[in-house]
Amino acid sequence: MADTRTHRLRLWTSAVTVGVVLLAVLLVPPLVQLDEQAVDLSRKLLPPSWDHPFGTDDLGRDLLLRCVYGLRISLLVGLVAALVATVVGTAVGAAAGALGGWTDRCLMRLVDAFSSVPHLLLGIFVVALFRPGVWPVIASVAVTHWLSTARIVRSEVLSLRTRPFVDAAVSGGASRWRVAVRHLLPAVLPQAGLAAVLMVPHAMWHESALSFLGLGLPSHQASLGNLVQNARSSLLAGDWWPTLFPGLLLILPTLAIAGLAGVWRDRLNPRRRSELML
């Protein structure tokens, strides 16, 4: 009973947090007709108050508004990059598992080659090829995050190939491509969707790391990584709020998304959950 209550509490807490975040990024920018880039040096580094719940930054800009805009950009990067990486990883993993033979060996060696390079280093190389902007960061994150999905989908396909319905389709004269598209791929889509959800917070942290290093989005554009990077000097001077609130808005949504993904994983594999509860 206690485990069930904890499970439900995690589900509702994560769902409410994700809902609040989505409402904020969708409704605040159009409803609040303020320029998040407006500079007012007379309000420089004001602590949190009723007028400015998150305080102001070193240029007098409202930190709450900039955090919402930054979260909007970080979520956009995370969602699009996770979608692209999941599509690429699912296609590679499904092709490797369904076709087998030399196709499987070549594709897995490609995955191993990409995996041998650290994600951040490969991401830095990709963004260095383009001007700073949203799409180079999305491409960087997508290129470095499809590998785990490819491995997961391949292992699921290899497991499904031994099932009776696949043998029946092959006996009926279906080609490998038809079996892969009509039978194997739909069966692995729930696992691929779970991998995509888990990839969103990872992609958000990757974008924040690139922006913090000055290699992601332009420094004037609000993103959570840029906000933390711009607040370093303020933190050394004792002003904690320009660093705290962007950091919280990065941590809380990622924990909430991970919580929802954990519930989804338990639903996909209830046997695993029952074994963990023993």
Side-chain angles (χ1 to χ4, degrees), residues 79-95 142-143 145-150 153 185 188-189 191-193 195-197 199:
L79 290 171
V80 176
L83 178 61
V84 174
T86 301
V87 171
V88 174
T90 301
V92 172
V143 164
H145 286 70
W146 61 273
L147 309 173
S148 59
T149 304
V153 171
L185 189 59
V188 301
L189 285 181
Q191 293 289 346
V197 174
M199 203 181 303

Side-chain angles (χ1 to χ4, degrees), residues 92-115:
V92 172
L99 300 180
W102 65 268
T103 303
D104 184 20
R105 291 192 292 271
C106 290
L107 290 177
M108 287 300 101
R109 296 299 78 77
L110 177 64
V111 171
D112 292 338
F114 273 91
S115 300

